[in-house]
Amino acid sequence: METYDEDNIRYEQARRQVERLRGFYGHLFAYIAINAMIVVYNIKHLEPGESYFQFKNFFTATFWGIGLVAHAIAVYLPNIGFIRDWEEKQIRKLMEKKKK
């Protein structure tokens, strides 16, 4: 039977994960929205006969995309089993120290 403390720990872990997911999805939405506006702006300001496929047109999407991937790793990597198990063991150790 799980104790009240373990239920609270699981609830807090789930709440923190939902907050991380919400932050990531907000970041993803901003990335898509802003880069869509940049694409429209860049297309409207092309010189006649100029190709859209130039690095300057992909600069923001590329480097912001790297940051977005890093954010995704930070959000989704903790869900891998061995990391989650390690985190729970550390929480239990700290709780045992507080009880003593």
Side-chain angles (χ1 to χ4, degrees), residues 38-88:
I38 290 171
V39 166
V40 169
Y41 176 85
N42 288 340
I43 289 173
K44 285 185 176 188
H45 290 87
L46 284 176
E47 297 293 326
E50 184 181 14
S51 173
Y52 181 78
F53 297 100
Q54 303 171 47
F55 181 71
K56 68 178 184 175
N57 292 331
F58 296 97
F59 185 81
T60 302
T62 300
F63 289 102
W64 191 354
I66 292 168
L68 187 63
V69 168
H71 193 169
I73 289 169
V75 170
Y76 289 104
L77 191 61
N79 288 332
I80 294 174
F82 71 91
I83 294 173
R84 184 178 52 236
D85 293 342
W86 176 84
E87 183 181 60
E88 287 187 28

Side-chain angles (χ1 to χ4, degrees), residues 9-27:
I9 290 170
R10 292 191 200 296
Y11 173 80
E12 284 301 315
Q13 288 172 333
R15 188 183 60 75
R16 283 193 309 263
Q17 181 62 17
V18 168
E19 287 176 1
R20 288 189 291 263
L21 283 169
R22 184 180 55 202
F24 173 71
Y25 290 136
H27 188 181

Side-chain angles (χ1 to χ4, degrees), residues 84-95:
R84 184 178 52 236
D85 293 342
W86 176 84
E87 183 181 60
E88 287 187 28
K89 286 178 187 176
Q90 296 304 313
I91 290 169
R92 289 181 201 282
K93 283 181 187 177
L94 290 172
M95 290 182 65

